Amino acid sequence: MKVNVHAVNFNIDKKLVDFIDERMTKLEKYYDKVVSSDVFLKVENISEKENKIVELKVLVPGDDFIVKKQSRTFEEAADLAVESLERLLVKRKEKLRAHS
C-alpha cells in the first residue's frame, strides 16, 4: 500500500513519517484491497493543547474512508485515527463477506 504523508504548513521529521508508515501498513492485515492512503498532518493555531490534527484518507475499491482525529501529539492522533480505520475496514470486510 502506498502511503502519502502531507504536512500542512510545517516541516515533518523522518521519525514521524516512519511512525505513520508503520501504523498504516498494519491496516493491510484487516483489509488487503486498500489502493492508497493519504495522511494529512495539521497544527491548529488555537490556545488548547490538543492542537495536532491527523486526517487519514484511505481509498478502497468503491469507497473512500476518511477519519479525522485531534490530540496533543501527532503520534497519539495517528494511533486513534488508525484504530478507527481498523474498525471501519473490518466492518466493510464483514459486509462484503455477508453479501457473497
Side-chain angles (χ1 to χ4, degrees):
M1 164 174 59
K2 176 130 180 60
V3 178
N4 303 310
V5 180
H6 311 278
V8 181
N9 298 329
F10 71 97
N11 294 326
I12 190 171
D13 67 334
K14 175 104 175 78
K15 219 164 85 177
L16 184 56
V17 173
D18 291 343
F19 176 85
I20 289 169
D21 249 351
E22 186 185 312
R23 289 292 186 274
M24 294 298 289
T25 308
K26 287 181 181 175
L27 288 174
E28 287 187 309
K29 72 180 177 196
Y30 296 98
Y31 193 75
D32 57 359
K33 294 179 177 64
V34 175
V35 178
S36 70
S37 58
D38 289 299
V39 180
F40 296 94
L41 306 174
K42 300 172 189 159
V43 180
E44 270 197 356
N45 296 329
I46 51 175
S47 57
E48 291 175 43
K49 286 185 170 58
E50 293 193 357
N51 66 339
K52 310 288 190 298
I53 298 172
V54 173
E55 193 173 318
L56 304 180
K57 183 178 181 185
V58 175
L59 303 175
V60 297
D63 241 332
D64 291 4
F65 292 109
I66 298 172
V67 175
K68 188 176 184 177
K69 295 291 177 189
Q70 191 166 340
S71 194
R72 288 170 176 258
T73 65
F74 283 121
E75 290 82 359
E76 193 181 329
D79 274 342
L80 292 170
V82 168
E83 281 173 23
S84 292
L85 214 48
E86 282 171 11
R87 287 191 294 275
L88 286 171
L89 291 173
V90 167
K91 245 191 224 167
R92 160 106 180 160
K93 194 173 185 176
E94 286 169 358
K95 200 165 120 184
L96 288 176
R97 214 179 265 154
H99 290 293
S100 56

